[in-house]
Amino acid sequence: MGFLQNLTGWHALIVLAVILLFFGAAKLPSLARSVGQSARILKDEVSADADTRADTRADTRADAPAT
């Protein structure tokens, strides 16, 4: 992981140019759209999972006998 600390703006520009050459300018908007949609789905699933865990914990506490 130490090599990631030495990256500069030029490295990012080169990576962007390689991606542009690899995918082509016509496919980049659809690629960005699909990445955004995937991120949105992931965020929704994570929040739904967190809500389910919170509900499960609340139910467990309510069912536990008082001491």
Side-chain angles (χ1 to χ4, degrees):
M1 288 303 253
F3 68 92
L4 290 177
Q5 295 172 352
N6 296 329
L7 294 179
T8 64
W10 285 108
H11 293 109
L13 209 63
I14 291 171
V15 169
L16 184 62
V18 169
I19 289 172
L20 184 63
L21 288 173
F22 186 71
F23 289 107
K27 291 187 179 185
L28 284 180
S30 62
L31 179 68
R33 189 178 309 115
S34 66
V35 168
Q37 185 178 18
S38 298
R40 220 174 299 123
I41 290 171
L42 178 65
K43 186 178 86 171
D44 291 342
E45 291 296 324
V46 168
S47 66
D49 188 42
D51 291 343
T52 303
R53 287 185 198 167
D55 290 344
T56 303
R57 278 189 238 128
D59 290 343
T60 304
R61 289 182 191 145
D63 294 342
T67 55

